[in-house]
Amino acid sequence: MMNKTLLTAVAAGFLMSTSLAQLPFSYKMDSTSFNALQLEGGMTQVRLADLNKDGHLDIVSIGDHGSPYVNTNQHGISVFFGNSTGTGWSLYQNGGFGYGGCAVGDINNDGNQDIAYSLHHDYSSTDFGDQLIEAAVGDGTGMNWTPWDDGLAGNGESWGMFGTDLGDYNNDGWLDIGSNSFGSGQGIHMYKNNSNGTWTQSYSFGNGNTGKYLQFGDIDGDGNLDFVAPNFQGATFFGNGNGSFSLKAFGLPSLPNSSQTPYGDVCLYDIDNDGDDEFAFTYKNNTTGIAGIYVYSWDRNAQQWNNMSTGLPTSSTDMFNLARLADIDMDGYADLLTSSDIADEFQIWKGNGGTSWTKVAGIKMTKLIGVQDVVVADIDHSGYPDILVCYTYLGGGVFNPTTYNQYRLLMDQTTASSVAATVLYPGGGECWRSGSVRFINWTSAVPAGHASTATIEYSLTGNGGPWINIATNVPNTGSYQWTVPMSVTSTNCFIRVTITDNVTSNTALATNGFAFNMGCTNSTTGIIEELSGGVSIFPNPASGSATVSVPSELIPTSGLNYKIYDAMGKLVAGSTVYHVETTISCDQLSKGIYFMELYSEKQTARLKFIVN
């Protein structure tokens, strides 16, 4: 009897409107909306969040490389307030401190968005910016901030802190702070939220140089947050659920015998839709001089990293300093965002679930030196994500070359004519521990100019309900911070998001594609062996018929049973696969998105496909 379990292409969510599929990578690019902010060249971390609770995403950053007030007008917390059109951004700044990294979330659980940030220098003379790591709570306006920072940056940080993220790494219902330094030898620092405005360092690592960013995620699917942050000793840290972490790097590219990190940018994202995150990063071999972009997946049984980078570029002359993952074309698979200095391009590489990557877009950005940060979200409610790029370019004249940063907003060219919704996270297979903070993410299509709200529910007994309320008529911003109930234990959990067009009263419903686990100690897929690829369905989109392909060694004598569900979770077809390739008829299936589950006693495969 086979002991391998097959898990491929779990749908990240499903669309209630079948028009939102396979969008070409085509964008309108805007920069003039951001001319109110003067930016020197240098590292910058940018976030998108609804700070003033009006249902529109805002752009958040702090300081600038020369600030406060040195060759720039940027200072303190800078917010471009949005109006969901992608234009007409309104700038507001508060504070007298310089540049660094930032993260946004509700750190005191009062329902308002707050901010954590790390500073390269603590030059401010007031409590609002006089520490290298800061936290400040908001009042729901996005303009006024109150320090909530006692105990932060009290463990040897002397300068150079930067990359910042928020996550509940000890599962106690309060967001904690992670911060790292770059070029200063201050290392990585984790601070636990004590829920009363004070913080306690629970973990630190290294005193050598690091790269730019730090991000929380769940690499091994155990429900404890892990993080990635480039350090010269490694970049992948696995959480133990108690505020401590362990470095696990076996299988990743080799590290140099020096204090310089070979890693540049880092990112966590679930590319194969199995409920846990893969690791994308830029890396330069300091011996050969070869730089490249890589994606690796963690094998929980072998306890090692496996390379999933087929097709991604390497070069001895180009400088890759960006590696970000997001589902850009909404086909259920993560795509990779990067940049090429030589080609002066911001690039999109299309993913297929982890077996290969293909370049599909190269967007020119004149005199590009590097991309400092990228954030992806559906700003205009078209149903497709937009891309905000902060990049550095060479300006000035021949005799006074100077670097500057500039925002470029890439807006997709889809116009929504009706309401639609997609749940992005959870997608299926995740482990959410009792009492922990998690973020529910979705995207939606709403006709231009129409206000909308979201209602969020969960089910413990499958995608047919019954449904239990989480939040009613909250701003439709694509993200909701939720504390998992202490009393919930189920492996058959679903999230449902209902989008309401407040002008027409039309609604759209969406749930995640497959079950996830709440109240767990391990993920629903945590005890099985994962295989990358192997099972596929083609053509996708299909019409008339489609072919299911399964490697012969994965088909037991009794065959693989399969069931097909429509977007509402209704069973519409089913049979058994005995051969390497099996043709299924789509004649009786309406146009739309479907989920196929193949299974036997010891294995499960999940596929998403579209019928045109």
Side-chain angles (χ1 to χ4, degrees):
M1 183 68 68
M2 288 194 304
N3 60 3
K4 293 184 177 181
T5 300
L6 190 63
L7 184 65
T8 60
V10 179
F14 64 79
L15 302 175
M16 298 306 298
S17 168
T18 59
S19 62
L20 301 182
Q22 308 296 327
L23 175 75
F25 296 91
S26 179
Y27 300 93
K28 298 173 289 187
M29 184 164 64
D30 173 49
S31 63
T32 58
S33 296
F34 310 107
N35 288 341
L37 198 61
Q38 303 165 5
L39 298 169
E40 284 194 333
M43 291 168 57
T44 300
Q45 192 168 20
V46 184
R47 303 287 184 167
L48 282 168
D50 180 14
L51 296 186
N52 57 354
K53 305 168 77 170
D54 64 354
H56 309 311
L57 290 176
D58 311 310
I59 300 170
V60 188
S61 64
I62 70 161
D64 186 29
H65 199 271
S67 71
Y69 308 111
V70 180
N71 300 321
T72 176
N73 68 342
Q74 188 173 356
H75 60 93
I77 300 172
S78 297
V79 179
F80 274 109
F81 288 103
N83 58 19
S84 289
T85 67
T87 61
W89 300 89
S90 175
L91 177 64
Y92 184 86
Q93 300 179 82
N94 187 346
F97 50 88
Y99 78 110
C102 64
V104 176
D106 184 1
I107 62 175
N108 65 344
N109 290 344
D110 69 347
N112 296 321
Q113 292 293 291
D114 310 313
I115 188 168
Y117 49 99
S118 302
L119 302 169
H120 200 55
H121 296 291
D122 51 349
Y123 289 157
S124 176
S125 59
T126 67
D127 191 24
F128 187 47
D130 63 346
Q131 297 178 178
L132 290 173
I133 305 174
E134 291 273 12
V137 295
D139 63 355
T141 67
M143 297 181 180
N144 306 310
W145 308 95
T146 301
W148 218 64
D149 57 7
D150 290 349
L152 291 173
N155 292 276
E157 303 94 326
S158 61
W159 68 285
M161 303 309 296
F162 183 73
T164 309
D165 202 8
L166 288 167
D168 182 9
Y169 60 64
N170 61 346
N171 303 311
D172 66 350
W174 298 83
L175 290 177
D176 310 303
I177 295 176
S179 177
N180 74 330
S181 64
F182 74 93
S184 68
Q186 301 301 298
I188 300 165
H189 298 264
M190 294 286 136
Y191 282 90
K192 181 178 73 72
N193 187 344
N194 296 323
S195 77
N196 57 5
T198 68
W199 306 78
T200 302
Q201 179 168 278
S202 66
Y203 179 79
S204 64
F205 182 84
N207 56 4
N209 292 328
T210 70
K212 294 192 288 188
Y213 299 115
L214 179 150
Q215 183 188 347
F216 288 113
D218 191 354
I219 298 170
D220 56 357
D222 66 352
N224 297 320
L225 288 186
D226 314 306
F227 74 89
V228 290
N231 184 277
F232 76 101
Q233 300 178 65
T236 50
F237 300 82
F238 289 65
N240 301 314
N242 58 6
S244 64
F245 298 83
S246 303
L247 175 65
K248 298 182 182 181
F250 186 73
L252 291 174
S254 61
L255 295 171
N257 295 319
S258 71
S259 62
Q260 298 297 317
T261 175
Y263 296 101
D265 200 18
V266 294
C267 175
L268 289 175
Y269 196 95
D270 184 5
I271 71 166
D272 54 6
N273 299 309
D274 62 355
D276 46 54
D277 292 322
E278 277 68 50
F279 176 37
F281 56 94
T282 59
Y283 172 91
K284 182 175 181 179
N285 187 311
N286 294 323
T287 301
T288 65
I290 301 296
I293 307 161
Y294 301 89
V295 178
Y296 276 69
S297 178
W298 179 251
D299 185 325
R300 282 170 287 190
N301 291 304
Q303 291 290 291
Q304 70 175 33
W305 290 96
N306 295 325
N307 196 339
M308 304 178 75
S309 310
T310 301
L312 290 176
T314 60
S315 175
S316 61
T317 55
D318 212 340
M319 294 177 59
F320 303 108
N321 70 338
L322 176 71
R324 299 299 173 86
L325 295 165
D327 185 2
I328 300 300
D329 59 351
M330 295 301 296
D331 67 347
Y333 299 110
D335 309 303
L336 187 138
L337 310 178
T338 189
S339 64
S340 167
D341 294 1
I342 288 179
D344 285 343
E345 282 184 345
F346 175 79
Q347 299 178 347
I348 303 175
W349 293 70
K350 182 173 172 57
N352 68 351
T355 60
S356 66
W357 305 86
T358 305
K359 181 183 174 184
V360 292
I363 301 165
K364 289 292 183 180
M365 294 187 177
T366 306
K367 298 182 180 179
L368 176 72
I369 295 177
V371 173
Q372 300 302 330
D373 202 4
V374 166
V375 282
V376 177
D378 184 6
I379 291 172
D380 59 353
H381 296 308
S382 69
Y384 284 96
D386 308 298
I387 306 170
L388 180 67
V389 182
C390 179
Y391 83 105
T392 300
Y393 68 96
L394 185 64
V398 175
F399 301 104
N400 62 336
T402 305
T403 60
Y404 299 94
N405 285 350
Q406 176 66 270
Y407 288 149
R408 289 283 190 269
L409 180 59
L410 307 179
M411 300 285 293
D412 76 271
Q413 298 189 54
T414 302
T415 301
S417 59
S418 59
V419 186
T422 309
V423 175
L424 300 175
Y425 181 80
E430 294 87 357
C431 170
W432 286 7
R433 298 219 174 201
S434 298
S436 65
V437 174
R438 292 295 181 263
F439 290 87
I440 299 168
N441 297 323
W442 69 92
T443 190
S444 62
V446 180
H450 288 200
S452 60
T453 53
T455 294
I456 308 166
E457 303 161 288
Y458 71 93
S459 167
L460 302 176
T461 54
N463 62 359
W467 297 98
I468 304 167
N469 183 261
I470 295 175
T472 302
N473 294 330
V474 296
N476 180 23
T477 59
S479 184
Y480 185 82
Q481 181 177 323
W482 185 47
T483 302
V484 179
M486 292 296 296
S487 59
V488 166
T489 301
S490 173
T491 61
N492 197 21
C493 300
F494 284 80
I495 294 292
R496 183 170 75 175
V497 175
T498 303
I499 302 300
T500 300
D501 182 332
N502 294 343
V503 176
T504 65
S505 297
N506 292 330
T507 61
L509 306 176
T511 74
N512 47 291
F514 294 99
F516 70 100
N517 193 340
M518 287 199 292
C520 50
T521 56
N522 289 290
S523 74
T524 55
T525 59
I527 60 174
I528 65 177
E529 181 176 349
E530 298 175 34
L531 302 179
S532 297
V535 173
S536 63
I537 186 168
F538 64 89
N540 189 4
S543 61
S545 65
T547 299
V548 180
S549 176
V550 183
S552 59
E553 66 272 17
L554 301 177
I555 305 176
T557 303
S558 58
L560 281 173
N561 299 314
Y562 73 80
K563 294 180 181 179
I564 298 176
Y565 301 89
D566 66 12
M568 296 299 296
K570 179 183 178 182
L571 178 65
V572 295
S575 188
T576 305
V577 169
Y578 295 100
H579 307 290
V580 172
E581 291 190 350
T582 302
T583 299
I584 61 173
S585 174
C586 298
D587 290 337
Q588 303 303 314
L589 301 181
S590 302
K591 179 180 178 182
I593 293 179
Y594 293 87
F595 302 99
M596 172 182 282
E597 186 166 18
L598 298 97
Y599 60 94
S600 68
E601 182 182 355
K602 293 292 185 179
Q603 48 186 28
T604 301
R606 296 165 181 151
L607 302 172
K608 172 186 175 183
F609 67 101
I610 299 167
V611 175
N612 278 343

